[in-house]
Amino acid sequence: MELNENARIDTSQVDDRRGSGGGGGGMGIPLPGGGGRGGIVGIIIAVLVALVGGGFGLNAATGGGGSEQGDNTSLDQKCSGDQALQELDCRNTLYVNSIQAYWRKALPESFGDQYTPSKTVFFSQAVNTGCGNADSGVGPFYCPADDLVYIDLSFYKLLADQLGAEGEFAQPYVLAHEYGHHVQDLLGTEAQMRRQQQRDPNNANALSVKLELQADCYAGAWAKNATGTADADGQKIFKSITEQDIQQAIDTAEKIGDDAIQKRSGRPVNPDEFTHGTSEQRKQWFTKGYSTGDPKSCDTFGNG
Ligand SMILES: [Zn+2]
């Protein structure tokens, strides 16, 4: 993969909350100790998510999300300089630009819906979100309540060191998967799935798997079309994406399959606990999106 050094990196699509310190030490820990109280907080947070996600969108309307705003000053500086493409955060910003450029076109074309952009929040260690407090341990995620993607970029190191998913194309794959959730949010697929889960709790995990596999498939559709994406001035974002890059994405999808992760953590493989899909499924759905290049082919719910 080669990025185009002439592409302008649009840092307004990310919110850099790494430097702001996030209000200091206690963040990310809703309540100290007390098992029982912790459970109650969990429920309260879940209720809040349900309310905000249920259509009020108080925070989403202002685009601010969460409860804080980052500071992009140093990122802006870095990403407009000559060495921008040497920097992990600038490269990731450019991936976000490409993914959103793709959906701006693909969502109206494929589903007849307008695409509403979503920022990616860079955080370190812990962050306040519209879905509650989160720490890096949960991995990158999308919060439907504030319409934001969250990532601690050190996740990639964990992905490489602990899960063996090396190769840079793992990074845009991960981001494209999270933006797949944003698209599901825009299309109402996510809300529909949550309602189904409530009606049919025994199938909650199976339904989650379908949602996750669809996000993998959407990531594949982006990958197929990524070389066609451009910045605001029409400069191509990627010079090239090779078969080897695609193989890295597929390899990553395999490495983060539920069965692979269970095995790696020394637990017995238990299909009832699958929430994201097996290695085989994840690989298969990414590949489907990639081979068709068409997000409409990502009908994981229909094929269930
Ligand atoms: Zn996901």
Side-chain angles (χ1 to χ4, degrees):
M1 162 189 50
E2 204 182 339
L3 288 163
N4 180 5
E5 66 278 6
N6 296 319
R8 196 158 47 82
I9 303 174
D10 181 2
T11 54
S12 75
Q13 296 185 17
V14 306
D15 182 12
D16 188 3
R17 295 193 204 163
R18 292 169 299 177
S20 55
M27 220 185 74
I29 304 157
L31 263 189
R37 292 185 71 199
I40 290 168
V41 170
I43 290 164
I44 291 168
I45 290 170
V47 169
L48 282 178
V49 170
L51 282 178
V52 178
F56 295 106
L58 294 174
N59 291 327
T62 63
S67 55
E68 318 156 19
Q69 200 71 36
D71 179 0
N72 280 12
T73 314
S74 75
L75 188 71
D76 288 347
Q77 223 161 27
K78 208 202 278 189
C79 299
S80 55
D82 286 350
Q83 302 300 308
L85 291 186
Q86 317 294 328
E87 305 288 344
L88 177 75
D89 43 10
C90 298
R91 293 174 73 90
N92 271 266
T93 304
L94 208 43
Y95 300 146
V96 167
N97 296 163
S98 168
I99 294 161
Q100 299 212 91
Y102 166 66
W103 282 113
R104 206 171 298 128
K105 255 185 80 194
L107 203 65
E109 276 176 15
S110 298
F111 298 106
D113 276 21
Q114 279 311 107
Y115 180 73
T116 311
S118 158
K119 286 188 188 188
T120 289
V121 176
F122 293 158
F123 71 98
S124 54
Q125 295 180 328
V127 67
N128 284 318
T129 84
C131 297
N133 293 329
D135 67 40
S136 299
V138 302
F141 62 98
Y142 174 73
C143 169
D146 59 21
D147 302 317
L148 296 170
V149 171
Y150 290 87
I151 187 166
D152 180 334
L153 294 170
S154 69
F155 172 75
Y156 297 133
K157 197 172 150 32
L158 185 142
L159 199 59
D161 294 351
Q162 293 186 28
L163 295 175
E166 285 165 359
E168 176 150 358
F169 211 75
Q171 299 178 15
Y173 157 64
V174 164
L175 291 168
H177 172 98
E178 298 310 335
Y179 275 93
H181 287 312
H182 176 54
V183 167
Q184 291 170 327
D185 190 11
L186 293 175
L187 291 173
T189 320
E190 200 264 350
Q192 211 178 335
M193 194 280 299
R194 302 275 168 227
R195 284 196 296 272
Q196 262 178 286
Q197 280 183 323
Q198 274 161 10
R199 280 198 303 269
D200 186 7
N202 290 334
N203 262 320
N205 281 356
L207 289 162
S208 163
V209 166
K210 289 172 200 260
L211 194 78
E212 294 298 334
L213 293 176
Q214 188 174 60
D216 280 339
C217 183
Y218 285 167
W222 164 78
K224 179 72 167 193
N225 294 286
T227 48
T229 59
D231 70 10
D233 306 322
Q235 286 279 354
K236 284 198 166 218
I237 291 175
F238 287 94
K239 275 183 169 170
S240 65
I241 292 174
T242 65
E243 271 310 307
Q244 200 192 346
D245 296 320
I246 299 306
Q247 198 50 53
Q248 284 173 2
I250 292 171
D251 188 47
T252 306
E254 272 191 288
K255 294 267 167 54
I256 57 178
D258 286 321
D259 50 342
I261 288 182
Q262 285 181 354
K263 264 185 225 158
R264 200 163 257 277
S265 64
R267 283 178 290 157
V269 173
N270 180 0
D272 289 341
E273 288 175 1
F274 290 173
T275 53
H276 284 67
T278 62
S279 295
E280 194 51 42
Q281 289 174 313
R282 298 199 72 161
K283 176 175 141 176
Q284 185 198 322
W285 281 101
F286 176 88
T287 305
K288 179 155 193 193
Y290 180 73
S291 57
T292 63
D294 178 5
K296 284 200 299 298
S297 73
C298 300
D299 185 17
T300 55
F301 289 90
N303 286 323

